[in-house]
Amino acid sequence: MLVVESRMPFEPDIIVTNRDAHDLALVVDVKTQLADVVAAEQQLRRYMFGMGCPVGILVTPRTLRLYRDRYKEYGEDSVELVGEFPIETLFATAVAARQGFDLENAVQSWLERLADGEKLSALPEPLRSALQAHVIPALARGEIRAARPRWRPTGT
């Protein structure tokens, strides 16, 4: 008997689209638990390349991993890790709720505040510089929204 492993297609949790061109400027994948960083990274990189998205973020309760398509090669290998940054206190309230949609909402709210000009001075320097160089420009030109409906377990 042949057993076929079924894989769910990758769907980001948050997207930022350019207001004028309606193409993707940023994709965000939010994981409350991450057992396989390599697989999650590969899915995000593949999605970024396939959709022509220049910036991607992988968020867990403890880290933010930032990716940029450098357009050096043709393929997902052109998407490189800019850096991995500790963020344990940034979304502590959402993590305490233990619900994926709470963390997704917290990350989206944080991106919206960054787009509205929230000061980055409270963030540690490596993260601040990376956000200023890669994320803030995408947010400035874009519209932030959930990539799909978020349903609570109770259906509300």
Side-chain angles (χ1 to χ4, degrees):
M1 179 161 92
L2 178 65
V3 177
V4 178
E5 179 184 336
S6 68
R7 286 195 213 176
M8 295 295 294
F10 176 81
E11 292 182 2
D13 298 301
I14 302 164
I15 58 173
V16 177
T17 54
N18 288 320
R19 286 187 184 102
D20 299 331
H22 302 293
D23 56 339
L24 289 175
L26 171 70
V27 294
V28 182
D29 188 20
V30 179
K31 304 279 190 196
T32 54
Q33 295 180 342
L34 186 57
D36 190 350
V37 175
V38 174
E41 178 181 77
Q42 183 180 25
Q43 287 182 323
L44 179 62
R45 291 173 65 226
R46 186 175 296 137
Y47 185 87
M48 287 175 62
F49 171 72
M51 297 301 289
C53 183
V55 182
I57 300 175
L58 176 60
V59 177
T60 70
R62 296 178 193 257
T63 61
L64 181 147
R65 294 172 63 96
L66 179 62
Y67 300 87
R68 179 80 191 193
D69 192 338
R70 303 288 185 186
Y71 301 106
K72 292 180 180 179
E73 302 175 35
Y74 183 78
E76 63 192 63
D77 290 337
S78 69
V79 178
E80 298 176 352
L81 176 66
V82 172
E84 181 174 350
F85 309 95
I87 58 164
E88 289 180 349
T89 59
L90 197 56
F91 305 114
T93 304
V95 172
R98 300 269 185 212
Q99 299 292 332
F101 59 84
D102 288 327
L103 184 56
E104 289 175 26
N105 287 336
V107 171
Q108 184 170 337
S109 294
W110 175 69
L111 290 171
E112 290 166 351
R113 290 191 311 273
L114 287 177
D116 289 340
E118 181 176 286
K119 295 185 181 190
L120 299 173
S121 59
L123 298 174
E125 177 45 42
L127 176 58
R128 182 180 336 134
S129 292
L131 292 173
Q132 287 174 325
H134 304 286
V135 176
I136 300 298
L139 297 176
R141 298 185 311 263
E143 180 180 329
I144 304 163
R145 63 178 188 234
R148 59 185 170 11
R150 294 184 186 139
W151 301 102
R152 291 182 177 265
T154 59
T156 60

